[in-house]
Amino acid sequence: MTTDVTTDAIPAAVATRIPGERSRGVWRTVKYVLLILFALVILLPAYVLFVTSFKGLGDATPANAWKLPESWETAGWSRAWEQLGPALGRTFAMVIPASIISSVLGSMNGFVLSKWRFPGADVVFTLILFGMFIPYQAVMVPLVQLMSNLGVPNGVPSLIVLHVVYGLPITTLIFRNYYAGVPVELVEAARVDGAGMLRTYASIILPISAPAFVVVLMWQFTSAWNDYLFALFFSTSRNGPVTIALNFLASGQLQDYSASMAGALIASVPTLIIYILLGRYFVGGLMAGSVKG
């Protein structure tokens, strides 16, 4: 025995909901297609880098940029590593202390400017932020003279100092906004218990600062790692970071495209790993600081 179900038996609410669900399904499909297309466009340079790095000297030409290698070779990677290996070590020696020092100093600044107020705190904060809007190119000549007068050696020491100083405005801003959301009662309770500024910072503020530290460490690591302007003025190919070595690799008299592409991939691996491992914490920490203060 069968029962015929007509459209009259479908409730009106269900009947009106079906077109809406179909339209949402179509729109969802369109969004996914657009996202895939955008991803392909963004990944096209990475594809060229990857396939060219495995080509031989005769095969790695601009005319064959989009083609797969005739034979997959790793000689380009070996030549790139020979040129960039020492520079990678110097870059880590520069980036890690610069990121940590600027993050710690920015955390202290943010705590003092948000919770341990003093006369003129807003003026000091404004002057610190002013450093974010000064182009590096505008102060490069006096900066070179200043570093020379201070006697700071070129290479890693100079770059550490520069990245710490120029990283303070953004790190101070992020930490100040983050600490603005910390309840004042915590700081006041610490004062009642006899804790001073440093004890309050170390025992109360620092343990809850992990999200903000992830943000500023990733920001500073990436900025210092990708910097070329400071490295150009304050280092050479013998004592400079990987950006300088990569420039020398790519600007030789004979264009070694496979080694240049392999070098670009090698130089980008550390920052790529950082964002893959800590990317979700970066977004969460950045949003935590953006909605406070």
Side-chain angles (χ1 to χ4, degrees), residues 23-63:
S23 62
R24 283 194 295 270
V26 171
W27 174 238
R28 189 181 300 109
T29 302
V30 172
K31 287 194 297 184
Y32 281 123
V33 170
L34 291 176
L35 289 174
I36 293 173
L37 290 177
F38 291 152
L40 291 176
V41 171
I42 294 173
L43 291 175
L44 281 178
Y47 164 79
V48 174
L49 285 173
F50 182 77
V51 298
T52 305
S53 67
F54 287 98
K55 294 179 179 179
L57 291 176
D59 192 21
T61 61

Side-chain angles (χ1 to χ4, degrees), residues 1-289:
M1 180 178 179
T2 60
T3 303
D4 294 335
V5 179
T6 63
T7 56
D8 295 337
I10 302 176
V14 176
T16 56
R17 191 163 60 242
I18 292 176
E21 292 179 351
R22 289 176 179 174
S23 62
R24 283 194 295 270
V26 171
W27 174 238
R28 189 181 300 109
T29 302
V30 172
K31 287 194 297 184
Y32 281 123
V33 170
L34 291 176
L35 289 174
I36 293 173
L37 290 177
F38 291 152
L40 291 176
V41 171
I42 294 173
L43 291 175
L44 281 178
Y47 164 79
V48 174
L49 285 173
F50 182 77
V51 298
T52 305
S53 67
F54 287 98
K55 294 179 179 179
L57 291 176
D59 192 21
T61 61
N64 298 329
W66 300 99
K67 298 179 181 179
L68 292 174
E70 294 181 358
S71 62
W72 294 78
E73 302 180 6
T74 59
W77 286 82
S78 300
R79 294 192 297 270
W81 182 255
E82 291 177 1
Q83 295 290 328
L84 301 185
L88 283 171
R90 292 192 297 267
T91 308
F92 278 110
M94 178 267 294
V95 168
I96 294 176
S99 302
I100 294 175
I101 295 172
S102 60
S103 299
V104 173
L105 293 178
S107 175
M108 293 180 176
N109 289 344
F111 167 62
V112 172
L113 292 171
S114 62
K115 296 302 181 186
W116 210 275
R117 304 286 294 179
F118 58 91
D122 292 335
V123 176
V124 173
F125 181 59
T126 301
L127 292 176
I128 292 175
L129 291 186
F130 185 69
M132 295 175 57
F133 305 102
I134 301 178
Y136 294 172
Q137 297 86 344
V139 296
M140 196 56 63
V141 173
L143 193 59
V144 171
Q145 296 175 349
L146 175 63
M147 297 296 287
S148 176
N149 293 335
L150 292 176
V152 182
N154 273 359
V156 172
S158 292
L159 294 176
I160 290 176
V161 173
L162 291 171
H163 285 297
V164 168
V165 173
Y166 273 88
L168 283 179
I170 184 63
T171 58
T172 300
L173 173 64
I174 293 175
F175 275 110
R176 181 183 182 274
N177 289 344
Y178 183 81
Y179 292 149
V182 176
V184 181
E185 291 77 11
L186 290 177
V187 179
E188 293 178 349
R191 289 181 179 178
V192 171
D193 291 339
M197 180 175 64
L198 293 178
R199 181 61 181 275
T200 302
Y201 171 77
S203 301
I204 304 299
I205 300 300
L206 195 58
I208 61 175
S209 304
F213 267 103
V214 170
V215 173
V216 296
L217 284 172
M218 291 180 63
W219 184 281
Q220 285 299 99
F221 185 95
T222 305
S223 299
W225 186 277
N226 293 329
D227 170 69
Y228 178 74
L229 185 61
F230 282 152
L232 181 64
F233 277 84
F234 294 95
S235 67
T236 64
S237 59
R238 295 185 300 274
N239 60 11
V242 69
T243 50
I244 293 294
L246 185 60
N247 177 69
F248 274 86
L249 177 64
S251 60
Q253 293 182 351
L254 297 176
Q255 288 292 334
D256 190 348
Y257 289 106
S258 57
S260 299
M261 300 302 179
L265 290 173
I266 292 173
S268 64
V269 166
T271 53
L272 182 62
I273 293 176
I274 290 293
Y275 274 94
I276 290 176
L277 295 178
L278 302 176
R280 56 176 180 173
Y281 302 106
F282 177 83
V283 176
L286 190 62
M287 293 304 296

